[in-house]
Amino acid sequence: MVQLRSLFFLTVGLATRLYARSSTGDSVLVIVEPNKQDNYSVFFDGLKEQGYELTFRAPKAEVPLVIEYDVPSFAHVILLASETKNFAKDITPQSLVQLLGKKTNLIIALSSKQTPLSSLAAEFSLALPPPGTPLVSYFPEREESPQVIPVSVQPNSIISSNINPVWFSGVPHSIGNNPMVVPILHAPAESFASETDGGSPDALVDASERGGEGLWAGSQLGLVTGFQTLDNSRVTFVGGADVFSDEFAQKEISKGVPCGNTAFARDVVAWTFQETNVLRIESTTHHRVNATEPSEQYTTNDRLVYTAYISKYDPKTSNWAPYSGIKDLQLEFTMLDPHIRTALLPVSGNLGKYSVTFRAPDRHGVFKFVINHKRKGFTYLTSSMTVPVVPPRHDGYPRFLSAAWPYYMGAISTSIGFFLFSALWLAGDSREKKAKGHKAE
């Protein structure tokens, strides 16, 4: 019995470790104050059970290095030192941006206090209210402080459905129009930023006037917002580190109703660390209709077949599986500008295969098969293949063109008329000579 129980727990443990592995790596650097590390034990234990290898570092510590010899030391970085104003020299807004350029994913917790991370948020189209102005809401009526707010979670491509409201305490931010910004959690409609944490009401009013009426109030404010770079690395800004704390994870929304902080944090980590919504193009091919091999060049008006194979990362098996769930994929056949833009639809019965047949334009030049699929929350899919399109050869045109029959008839009638005229002219000249000869006799 003991052996069976041990085997059961071992199996569950292995299954848990196989679940939700990142597509980019499992090493995580957690930057947190040592005296606050135990405040996030539930969050950290959940990451360890997922199979992540956590390394902890104090904000002012020099090791381990974030980047060593121009190579990132970790696949992911979590910054929970939201109120720290001084960091080590290798943790700066510039170095964090450099990490993103090297495909390292980041989770950054913000604070109502002015820190170096506050200026970093502005680089990603997020505007923070003046220092000392956290989010406040007096609805619904509750015993907690107005700064501790239950926030309803709306399901989307990142957040699972049926997640209970989450507890939030921190600073909101307004979201710019950058298309690479991915909103994850919005503020309640009745909430607003207030100077309850030592902020200046005049500064708050001035900031609102500069940004427009209602800048720091209502559901337009973001609490948790993601950003995906063109290289598909991801960063998520969280308005307060308390979202991941043990206190909020174990706090009930109402009597007998648990909060959704643990599940919400799991979904945020899954997206940021590229477990979910990760796609890639495995291969692309092109050829003429009724052919199987690609051609080095095509002729104008050729019927072409373009095929792309797309897969999606499965965190449960850590493998890539064919994926046919994209319904709005498009193909462009471009030469400077798109000459053809058509839907690239999944092929029924062939998982992961997308194909389209189209006619090459009646224009020669150097063209590209282009896929440029960018949707919020999903990996960007880009592909480009160059092919020349040439005019037909001299013997490649049809012998006769139906549209040219009027010209053919005109040329034939002119030739026949000229022949008859020449024949009559020559015959008439002979008769005149014969007639003159008879008169002379």
Side-chain angles (χ1 to χ4, degrees), residues 411-425:
I412 293 173
S413 62
T414 302
S415 300
I416 293 175
F418 178 76
F419 176 77
L420 293 176
F421 175 79
S422 300
L424 292 175
W425 176 268

Side-chain angles (χ1 to χ4, degrees), residues 230 281 371-374 380-384:
L230 293 177
I281 299 176
I371 294 177
N372 188 17
H373 183 79
K374 291 182 172 68
Y380 303 145
L381 297 177
T382 57
S383 175
S384 178

Side-chain angles (χ1 to χ4, degrees), residues 289-367:
V289 173
N290 299 325
T292 57
E293 297 296 328
S295 177
E296 293 184 356
Q297 63 183 24
Y298 296 106
T299 306
T300 55
N301 296 316
D302 274 352
R303 297 287 294 174
L304 306 180
V305 178
Y306 181 87
T307 304
Y309 295 89
I310 297 176
S311 60
K312 184 177 182 180
Y313 181 73
D314 185 359
K316 295 182 179 180
T317 61
S318 300
N319 293 321
W320 294 86
Y323 181 68
S324 297
I326 305 176
K327 305 302 181 184
D328 56 353
L329 191 62
Q330 290 183 335
L331 171 70
E332 294 180 348
F333 197 57
T334 67
M335 184 173 64
L336 297 181
D337 295 321
H339 284 60
I340 294 174
R341 181 183 288 120
T342 181
L344 188 58
L345 300 176
V347 178
S348 179
N350 290 273
L351 195 62
K353 181 179 180 180
Y354 298 76
S355 185
V356 64
T357 301
F358 64 96
R359 182 178 64 85
D362 190 13
R363 183 176 181 181
H364 62 275
V366 179
F367 284 80

Side-chain angles (χ1 to χ4, degrees), residues 155-380:
N156 50 41
S157 60
I158 298 174
I159 304 302
S160 307
S161 58
N162 301 323
I163 292 184
N164 291 339
V166 300
W167 289 106
F168 177 85
S169 178
V171 62
H173 49 261
S174 64
I175 303 174
N177 295 324
N178 195 317
M180 291 184 285
V181 171
V182 184
I184 298 176
L185 183 66
H186 286 278
E190 65 277 1
S191 62
F192 57 94
S194 176
E195 68 286 354
T196 58
D197 194 18
S200 169
D202 294 335
L204 187 62
V205 172
D206 292 342
S208 299
E209 291 178 351
R210 288 196 303 268
E213 185 178 356
L215 176 64
W216 308 119
S219 57
Q220 65 179 348
L221 295 177
L223 304 181
V224 179
T225 302
F227 189 98
Q228 183 166 268
T229 68
L230 293 177
D231 293 330
N232 288 320
S233 54
R234 296 171 177 177
V235 56
T236 299
F237 290 91
V238 183
D242 287 339
V243 173
F244 305 116
S245 67
D246 297 350
E247 178 185 358
F248 281 8
Q250 299 167 359
K251 187 179 182 64
E252 294 183 341
I253 295 295
S254 59
K255 187 175 182 180
V257 180
C259 69
N261 285 61
T262 301
F264 177 78
R266 173 86 282 278
D267 287 346
V268 170
V269 169
W271 181 81
T272 309
F273 290 178
Q274 300 198 36
E275 298 175 18
T276 58
N277 297 352
V278 182
L279 308 173
R280 73 180 182 187
I281 299 176
E282 297 289 349
S283 62
T284 57
T285 61
H286 54 83
H287 56 80
R288 291 186 177 91
V289 173
N290 299 325
T292 57
E293 297 296 328
S295 177
E296 293 184 356
Q297 63 183 24
Y298 296 106
T299 306
T300 55
N301 296 316
D302 274 352
R303 297 287 294 174
L304 306 180
V305 178
Y306 181 87
T307 304
Y309 295 89
I310 297 176
S311 60
K312 184 177 182 180
Y313 181 73
D314 185 359
K316 295 182 179 180
T317 61
S318 300
N319 293 321
W320 294 86
Y323 181 68
S324 297
I326 305 176
K327 305 302 181 184
D328 56 353
L329 191 62
Q330 290 183 335
L331 171 70
E332 294 180 348
F333 197 57
T334 67
M335 184 173 64
L336 297 181
D337 295 321
H339 284 60
I340 294 174
R341 181 183 288 120
T342 181
L344 188 58
L345 300 176
V347 178
S348 179
N350 290 273
L351 195 62
K353 181 179 180 180
Y354 298 76
S355 185
V356 64
T357 301
F358 64 96
R359 182 178 64 85
D362 190 13
R363 183 176 181 181
H364 62 275
V366 179
F367 284 80
K368 289 182 179 180
F369 295 99
V370 176
I371 294 177
N372 188 17
H373 183 79
K374 291 182 172 68
R375 299 295 181 270
K376 285 185 180 296
F378 288 86
T379 303
Y380 303 145

Side-chain angles (χ1 to χ4, degrees), residues 17-65:
R17 290 185 65 84
L18 290 175
Y19 176 74
R21 303 296 294 273
S22 172
S23 61
T24 60
D26 299 326
S27 58
V28 181
L29 175 64
V30 181
I31 301 175
V32 62
E33 293 287 355
N35 59 347
K36 295 184 179 181
Q37 182 174 327
D38 293 338
N39 296 346
Y40 310 99
S41 60
V42 174
F43 176 60
F44 295 149
D45 291 343
L47 292 178
K48 293 176 182 178
E49 291 176 359
Q50 306 283 333
Y52 287 105
E53 301 173 359
L54 303 186
T55 301
F56 295 93
R57 171 183 167 179
K60 299 180 182 179
E62 299 292 337
V63 291
L65 295 175

